[in-house]
Each structure stands twice: as structure tokens, then as C-alpha cells.
Amino acid sequence: MSIAELHQLSNAEKLKVIEVLWDDLADADAVISPDWHAVELKATEGRVKAGKEKLWDWNEAKDYLRSRK
């Protein structure tokens, strides 16, 4: 399926495509995170331990981001 064909799908059809892709990725034997991801996680962990990073509840974060529009 081409990008142009994807654009022609209804929202319901696009959601189904996303669902199929997500399921396919979830079944992958090994999804390897890039090296930079481990570096960023370690840096974030350091900021949290130092009290320089705020942990957010997922719903709280979504509300905050939506309020900034």
C-alpha cells in the first residue's frame, strides 16, 4: 500500500492499519533500541535522582500538554 493510498482511507480504516502494524511489531522476536536511547534513559535517571526532573503521571502529563494549546 502506498502513502497516497493510505491518505485515501477513512479514519476507521487507518486505525485498523495501525492496529495491524502494532500487532506485527509486538510479535517481533527482537526490537533493538538504539544506543542513544540507553544514554538518554541513564541521563534522565540521573536528573530524577538529583531532583532536577519531575516525574509525571501519564494523565497529568496529557492534561498539561493539552492545556498548552
Side-chain angles (χ1 to χ4, degrees):
M1 179 173 280
S2 71
I3 299 296
E5 290 171 313
L6 285 172
H7 284 291
Q8 294 174 3
L9 297 176
S10 69
N11 285 343
E13 291 167 322
K14 289 175 184 176
L15 287 171
K16 185 62 180 170
V17 169
I18 290 169
E19 182 181 322
V20 169
L21 289 171
W22 190 256
D23 287 345
D24 186 59
L25 288 170
D27 290 339
D29 290 335
V31 177
I32 300 171
S33 293
D35 292 338
W36 66 264
H37 193 238
V39 171
E40 288 301 317
L41 287 172
K42 214 40 154 172
T44 301
E45 181 180 41
R47 289 191 305 273
V48 168
K49 287 181 179 178
K52 296 179 179 179
E53 187 82 32
K54 179 183 178 192
L55 297 179
W56 292 65
D57 169 80
W58 179 236
N59 289 321
E60 179 186 4
K62 289 190 295 184
D63 290 344
Y64 171 77
L65 291 171
R66 288 179 180 141
S67 73
R68 297 188 65 192
K69 288 184 180 181

